[in-house]
Amino acid sequence: MKILATTAALFLATSVCAHEAPIHEHTELVPIPAYELSYGPASGAAALRAVEAFLARVDADTKAQFMFALDSPIRTKWSNLPAGIVDRSGISVGELDDEQRKLLFAFLASSLGQEGYESVAEVMAAETFLSTDRRAKRLQWAPENYWLSIYGTPDANAPWGWQFGGHHLGLNISIEGNRVETMSPTFVGTEPAIFTVNGTDYEAVRDMHLSGYAVYTALDEAQQAAAHAGKVPEDVLTGPGNDGRIPSMIGLSASEMTGTQRAALLTAINEWVSIQPDENAKLRMAELAEGLEEISFAWVGTDEVNTPTYMRIQGPTLIIEMLSTGGNVGSSAQGAGHYHTMYRNPTKDYGK
């Protein structure tokens, strides 16, 4: 997850949005602010301060559009598909005014680690790239088409959560005791993976791919054979609509790895865990390191951006999947990569 150049800020080109959102002129650009901790280090407490500031800028009728009960069945109906295929609940970026958008991004920065916030920027940058594709109007590829929903009442003494997503993105964060409890389930993907927007070069999701390949290449020949994941699936197995699905364990157990190989595996895992703020990410990594011998690693494919590749890292409380589809939907993205990835702690989906 790396922005290669920082000479220009990312701007969102606009298009028609779902939910009868305002239609903007393509010349009207919406900047994604740089990562800034306006409410202190990213954490559950900072998220609460940031969401309170956001909610203070929204009227009651609008709040009713995106605030739901903690146990609302709507919470599990998220998708990674484009807005032209699947409608969303919540409020979209395109429906917010300038001040509300600024507060939304301040909330995301306060709720995520820097890696997570930059992942959001990268996914939306890829959507900006696709917004000029010949299929963009029909599929509603547009960076305004990302939605926020809040579950429960944000409170330091009560559980609550939030969801932000759209095409190739589904963040599900649960907060309890004023701390981030889990980010399960979370989907991060992209098309394209290597691209340029407004003079800034991006490599979205590539760090995830390359971190897995680094584990694979650290294995000896016999270990690589044991880690073979078989056929590349058509899609990730534990994506949206597959809550509760636990795939069969495959691959090489970390108990059969050397110390160096285990370190590479933990580095790969951290590519996903670090999406959330340090207050939970560090605890989560310590927990996974302690139980590493119960985690397996499976791989098939290469390090090439547009080659079919699949990785699964799995243990009792962890499922990570990374899929490089090896093909593209958008004609403008041909050969530039298309990724789907999932992170789950199946024991804590949606904070359960």
Side-chain angles (χ1 to χ4, degrees):
M1 298 176 288
K2 183 183 295 180
I3 298 176
L4 296 183
T6 58
T7 56
L10 168 63
F11 289 86
L12 305 182
T14 54
S15 182
V16 180
C17 297
H19 288 304
E20 298 183 353
I23 298 175
H24 301 276
E25 296 294 333
H26 282 283
T27 54
E28 182 184 346
L29 304 177
V30 182
I32 297 178
Y35 184 69
E36 184 177 345
L37 300 178
S38 304
Y39 298 91
S43 63
L48 179 60
R49 292 190 290 271
V51 78
E52 288 175 339
F54 174 74
L55 293 175
R57 187 65 175 73
V58 179
D59 62 39
D61 288 342
T62 303
K63 288 177 185 176
Q65 181 179 329
F66 68 91
M67 296 192 73
F68 306 97
L70 184 66
D71 60 353
S72 170
I74 294 173
R75 194 173 186 184
T76 64
K77 306 301 181 185
W78 61 280
S79 174
N80 64 290
L81 295 174
I85 297 176
V86 175
D87 197 15
R88 261 66 172 201
S89 299
I91 189 165
S92 72
V93 172
E95 293 170 280
L96 302 175
D97 63 31
D98 290 345
E99 181 63 22
Q100 290 168 340
R101 277 193 293 268
K102 179 180 178 181
L103 290 169
L104 168 64
F105 288 117
F107 166 67
L108 293 175
S110 298
S111 305
L112 301 170
Q114 184 169 357
E115 287 287 327
Y117 185 81
E118 290 179 353
S119 291
V120 171
E122 290 167 354
V123 172
M124 296 177 77
E127 198 75 352
T128 300
F129 180 94
L130 288 178
S131 68
T132 60
D133 192 90
R134 62 183 178 83
R135 298 187 182 184
K137 184 176 182 179
R138 177 170 61 86
L139 294 174
Q140 295 187 38
W141 285 336
E144 305 95 316
N145 288 340
Y146 289 84
W147 280 263
L148 173 71
S149 295
I150 294 174
Y151 296 91
T153 301
D155 189 286
N157 300 308
W160 63 285
W162 59 270
Q163 187 177 93
F164 184 74
H167 187 207
H168 280 139
L169 184 67
L171 301 174
N172 288 283
I173 307 297
S174 298
I175 297 171
E176 187 166 357
N178 220 24
R179 294 179 60 88
V180 173
E181 176 69 16
T182 184
M183 54 170 254
S184 180
T186 281
F187 182 108
V188 177
T190 191
E191 183 189 24
I194 300 174
F195 59 98
T196 301
V197 171
N198 294 331
T200 300
D201 298 324
Y202 293 88
E203 283 196 356
V205 186
R206 285 289 287 155
D207 285 359
M208 291 174 164
H209 185 164
L210 295 177
S211 70
Y213 188 69
V215 179
Y216 179 72
T217 55
L219 304 178
D220 63 33
E221 188 175 344
Q223 289 174 314
Q224 287 181 350
H228 197 276
K231 183 180 179 181
V232 177
E234 292 185 3
D235 204 347
V236 290
L237 306 181
T238 62
N242 288 293
D243 294 346
R245 181 177 183 181
I246 308 294
S248 300
M249 293 280 286
I250 59 173
L252 177 71
S253 171
S255 64
E256 301 177 58
M257 294 183 180
T258 67
T260 299
Q261 292 164 345
R262 292 185 188 190
L265 179 59
L266 286 170
T267 297
I269 292 171
N270 192 57
E271 285 291 329
W272 281 266
V273 172
S274 63
I275 289 172
Q276 60 199 318
D278 282 350
E279 72 171 5
N280 192 49
K282 289 181 178 179
L283 291 173
R284 180 68 171 136
M285 287 304 300
E287 172 187 271
L288 292 169
E290 184 176 353
L292 195 61
E293 291 192 354
E294 297 181 272
I295 292 174
S296 66
F297 170 83
W299 177 275
V300 60
T302 74
D303 63 339
E304 294 296 326
V305 69
N306 230 49
T307 301
T309 299
Y310 178 71
M311 177 185 74
R312 188 153 89 231
I313 302 172
Q314 184 174 348
T317 69
L318 178 69
I319 302 173
I320 289 173
E321 293 184 90
M322 189 283 298
L323 173 75
S324 173
T325 67
N328 297 98
V329 179
S331 58
S332 59
Q334 293 300 308
H338 185 167
Y339 287 91
H340 292 181
T341 84
M342 274 300 302
Y343 168 93
R344 283 188 188 263
N345 176 347
T347 69
K348 287 189 176 181
D349 275 351
Y350 312 104
K352 295 178 181 176

